[in-house]
Amino acid sequence: MSSEDRKLDVLRAIVEDFVSTNDPVGSKALSERHNLGVSPATIRNDMAALEEEGYIAQPHTSAGRVPTDKGYRLFVDRLSAAKPLSAPERRAIQSFLEGAGDLDDVLRRTVRVLAQLTRQMAVVQYPTLTRSAVRHLEVVDVGPRRLMLVLITDTGRVEQRVLELSVAVTDDDVTELRRMLNSHLQGRRLADAHIALLDLPHIVAPALRPVMTTIVAGLVEALVEKPEERVMTGGTANLTRSVLDFPNSLHPVLEALEEQVVLLRLIGEVDSSTVLVRIGGENPHEGLHRTSVVSVGYGAGDTALGGLGVVGPTRMDYAGNMSAVRAVARYVGQMLAGS
Amino acid sequence: MSSEDRKLDVLRAIVEDFVSTNDPVGSKALSERHNLGVSPATIRNDMAALEEEGYIAQPHTSAGRVPTDKGYRLFVDRLSAAKPLSAPERRAIQSFLEGAGDLDDVLRRTVRVLAQLTRQMAVVQYPTLTRSAVRHLEVVDVGPRRLMLVLITDTGRVEQRVLELSVAVTDDDVTELRRMLNSHLQGRRLADAHIALLDLPHIVAPALRPVMTTIVAGLVEALVEKPEERVMTGGTANLTRSVLDFPNSLHPVLEALEEQVVLLRLIGEVDSSTVLVRIGGENPHEGLHRTSVVSVGYGAGDTALGGLGVVGPTRMDYAGNMSAVRAVARYVGQMLAGS
DNA sequence: GTCTGGCACTCGTCAGTTCTGAGTGCCAAT
DNA sequence: ATTGGCACTCAGAACTGACGAGTGCCAGAC
């Protein structure tokens, strides 16, 4: 083994020890707990080199070393072996998700099982509207000159919106609107629905034209132009598991994680099915510079319907969390495909 | 003023000082900050009596006094004056809630404004199904032998449920089912819908009877027997505002507050419009013995549709929070009545 | 009977000190 | 290239004494 290889072994050992103990790790402890085949003195030389290159750091002079963000990054990219879930864990995921009912229920169970497996805070995005298809669009008369549109997608998502009309409509009008909308939109992806929508006012009965125009405008705005992305979180309490992880108080962390927008940026920017890891300062949000995020897209087939992941201290079990996140995403994909 | 009255004044002063400073308050500081017209020595006698009666306690021998749960209780019941919101605060609530769209949006804004006003964690319950009326019930054919029922209530709540059928249904069947269900249920309260529902299988065309029976069973179970109550939370980060408030770590607190069931028991048991205050150990849940809950029912008119409230450390501004909760509940009631 | 000033006492907090030990870097020897 | 030895650093624990906030009690005043 070259000395370069051993240096990486040392880094791996440091990360593993630090993750499990939360104590800065010194050369002596290292040579005892891992059989690296060299003396502490040699390890010290390697550590000095690693520190020089920015992979580890000393909290203070007479302390052991702690991995830096850069060190974790190298560990994740090159040093950590995939860590397959145990059979009981797989069974737990499966049985937990199997009893689910509607979409909300599926996602609720998803965050729960993910938080339990990883002992971190879990986040899951609702299937994005743009890549979903219309299963049904319901038009309901609610009060004078107000219509409620209820969209049901093929992933089971239900979105509603109330429109104010300038004229009153009869029950027959509503039925006709519903019929037209559904016959033109059903089965269509929302991303492709734009053109079909804009046609509708022209082919509807003249009397209904203004109403249809309003409906189309509402739909285009709510579903095509700025489709509402949503997320669900769970296991927030896990962030408080160790007080030591967020010494400056976790107030800013919790504050950041309450914002849907922030969460979406964290887990919603997945375009493939490879697990994405963001470590400490790599995170876009200021308050999350001491946290890491492990996320992946889930989907039925090849298109990613949304993202899910976990958020925790940079000192986390990356290999385990990556496996858990990947496995849960696969099961969720199956669930949504089968419904 | 009788000496009994003064003793209560002393208790009030202790609570007020402790709430604002978080320091145990001593006799000298008390006589300086409040003009009670007596010397510290006299106050000491009163404090000894108050401690004897269990209203205050000493963290340790040479420290000032701190209110006990019992002390806060007396304060809330008899000593705290209503604290009307400022005009800007009222305007803030109103303008914040006015722009709301659908129900989710209303509730989202509600928890937000409540959390901001009180600087506590806020909780709001979705309008309970039992006291809502059916505005529309949609039947959607989703995949082979599966129907999705979508219930829309007069409060704007949308609930869905997927049913497995033993036989296939045609589009015409679905239309007929929808027509029958709506004509019998529309405008009816869910609490009263039970009887009407049970009639339906008997008056529907014989061919549709098994399907209707399944639907009715599903509806009865989901909406009448165990209607799903939901809550929304916000401002959780406020619990971490002062580390001192939850010295033993707030892990158990956060864990408790993640459970929908626990939250429902906290704020869902309001049957009138009087503000309910639960202090420390009065809370049903073990993990919340260091927290207080201020809650009230909201509703359109006289029936309470649900509850809302705030959760925080026992050391909280009870008067202010009670006013804020009451005010927000009134506005929410108006919002929901007008939609 | 109630209030007050005085006084002795308790005890947590703070600052200063010392001690210990984990951990390091460097160097000469292998 | 590796190793054992050694001097050095420094955070944290443990101890100390001074300080002072706060108390309870009591005798005297109103």
Side-chain angles (χ1 to χ4, degrees), chain B residues 108-176:
Chain B
R108 212 152 34 222
R109 286 161 185 257
T110 302
V111 285
R112 187 158 214 141
V113 76
L114 196 50
Q116 247 164 35
L117 277 177
T118 62
R119 298 171 69 94
Q120 309 286 353
M121 180 207 184
V123 192
V124 57
Q125 181 189 2
Y126 279 69
T128 181
L129 286 179
T130 35
R131 289 181 202 145
S132 301
V134 178
R135 177 177 280 163
H136 185 83
L137 184 62
E138 181 58 21
V139 186
V140 184
D141 187 2
V142 295
R145 297 190 183 170
R146 302 177 90 184
L147 288 184
M148 181 186 258
L149 301 178
V150 182
L151 170 78
I152 304 170
T153 73
D154 58 345
T155 49
R157 198 166 154 186
V158 178
E159 288 296 317
Q160 43 181 311
R161 188 182 172 90
V162 175
L163 296 178
E164 309 280 342
L165 302 181
S166 49
V167 294
V169 289
T170 66
D171 279 2
D172 285 347
D173 292 343
V174 170
T175 309
E176 172 63 9

Side-chain angles (χ1 to χ4, degrees), chain B:
Chain B
M1 155 176 359
S2 85
S3 90
E4 193 62 19
D5 284 347
R6 194 194 51 225
K7 228 168 63 186
L8 294 184
D9 276 351
V10 169
L11 176 57
R12 177 192 294 120
I14 291 174
V15 172
E16 283 171 0
D17 273 24
F18 182 67
V19 164
S20 68
T21 65
N22 200 16
D23 285 326
V25 18
S27 55
K28 190 162 158 233
L30 216 50
S31 80
E32 281 167 3
R33 291 175 42 105
H34 304 72
N35 44 357
L36 295 166
V38 292
S39 80
T42 308
I43 295 179
R44 281 205 286 281
N45 291 331
D46 292 339
M47 287 168 96
L50 285 169
E51 180 160 16
E52 176 71 24
E53 297 165 61
Y55 295 116
I56 55 180
Q58 283 187 88
H60 54 80
T61 319
S62 73
R65 303 307 216 288
V66 162
T68 60
D69 286 359
K70 189 177 169 190
Y72 283 124
R73 169 51 61 197
L74 184 63
F75 176 80
V76 168
D77 288 345
R78 299 186 38 201
L79 302 178
S80 71
K83 200 178 189 176
L85 295 194
S86 69
E89 283 172 327
R90 299 198 162 273
R91 256 181 279 122
I93 302 176
Q94 197 149 18
S95 66
F96 206 80
L97 291 184
E98 232 150 40
D102 61 18
L103 177 67
D104 267 293
D105 201 20
V106 172
L107 300 187
R108 212 152 34 222
R109 286 161 185 257
T110 302
V111 285
R112 187 158 214 141
V113 76
L114 196 50
Q116 247 164 35
L117 277 177
T118 62
R119 298 171 69 94
Q120 309 286 353
M121 180 207 184
V123 192
V124 57
Q125 181 189 2
Y126 279 69
T128 181
L129 286 179
T130 35
R131 289 181 202 145
S132 301
V134 178
R135 177 177 280 163
H136 185 83
L137 184 62
E138 181 58 21
V139 186
V140 184
D141 187 2
V142 295
R145 297 190 183 170
R146 302 177 90 184
L147 288 184
M148 181 186 258
L149 301 178
V150 182
L151 170 78
I152 304 170
T153 73
D154 58 345
T155 49
R157 198 166 154 186
V158 178
E159 288 296 317
Q160 43 181 311
R161 188 182 172 90
V162 175
L163 296 178
E164 309 280 342
L165 302 181
S166 49
V167 294
V169 289
T170 66
D171 279 2
D172 285 347
D173 292 343
V174 170
T175 309
E176 172 63 9
L177 288 167
R178 180 187 304 138
R179 197 190 57 75
M180 293 238 9
L181 283 165
N182 277 292
S183 73
H184 282 77
L185 293 180
Q186 244 167 38
R188 213 179 268 267
R189 303 208 143 203
L190 283 170
D192 314 330
H194 202 166
I195 310 151
L197 272 173
L198 294 182
D199 268 352
L200 278 171
H202 304 300
I203 53 179
V204 83
L208 288 178
R209 200 159 293 162
V211 179
M212 187 57 105
T213 309
T214 309
I215 291 179
V216 165
L219 284 175
V220 167
E221 191 207 337
L223 307 179
V224 181
E225 281 174 2
K226 47 163 193 166
E228 191 193 18
E229 300 297 348
R230 307 179 59 185
V231 293
M232 185 183 283
T233 64
T236 315
N238 285 328
L239 288 172
T240 62
R241 198 174 286 285
S242 164
V243 191
L244 306 150
D245 283 323
F246 301 103
N248 311 323
S249 121
L250 76 177
H251 190 245
V253 179
L254 280 185
E255 240 173 13
L257 295 177
E258 272 193 48
E259 296 294 332
Q260 297 265 323
V261 194
V262 174
L263 288 172
L264 271 169
R265 287 188 61 194
L266 286 186
I267 62 142
E269 292 175 351
V270 280
D271 44 11
S272 73
S273 63
T274 43
V275 178
L276 179 67
V277 180
R278 283 224 192 75
I279 298 166
E282 297 170 10
N283 278 307
H285 195 281
E286 176 70 28
L288 300 178
H289 277 8
R290 309 298 290 179
T291 67
S292 285
V293 180
V294 177
S295 62
V296 71
Y298 67 84
D302 45 358
T303 47
L305 292 173
L308 58 79
V310 297
V311 183
T314 47
R315 184 184 79 81
M316 64 161 58
D317 172 11
Y318 289 95
N321 290 347
M322 289 169 75
S323 300
V325 163
R326 186 185 287 117
V328 170
R330 188 161 60 239
Y331 281 111
V332 172
Q334 286 172 12
M335 290 295 298
L336 293 183
S339 73

Side-chain angles (χ1 to χ4, degrees), chain A residues 65-127:
Chain A
R65 303 306 217 288
V66 162
T68 59
D69 286 359
K70 189 177 170 190
Y72 283 124
R73 170 51 60 198
L74 183 63
F75 175 81
V76 168
D77 288 346
R78 298 186 39 201
L79 302 177
S80 72
K83 199 180 194 176
L85 295 195
S86 69
E89 283 172 328
R90 298 196 163 276
R91 256 181 281 123
I93 301 177
Q94 198 150 19
S95 66
F96 206 82
L97 291 185
E98 230 150 43
D102 60 19
L103 177 67
D104 268 293
D105 202 19
V106 171
L107 300 186
R108 210 149 38 217
R109 285 160 185 258
T110 301
V111 287
R112 186 157 215 143
V113 77
L114 196 51
Q116 248 162 35
L117 277 176
T118 61
R119 298 171 69 92
Q120 308 287 351
M121 180 204 184
V123 192
V124 56
Q125 181 188 3
Y126 277 69

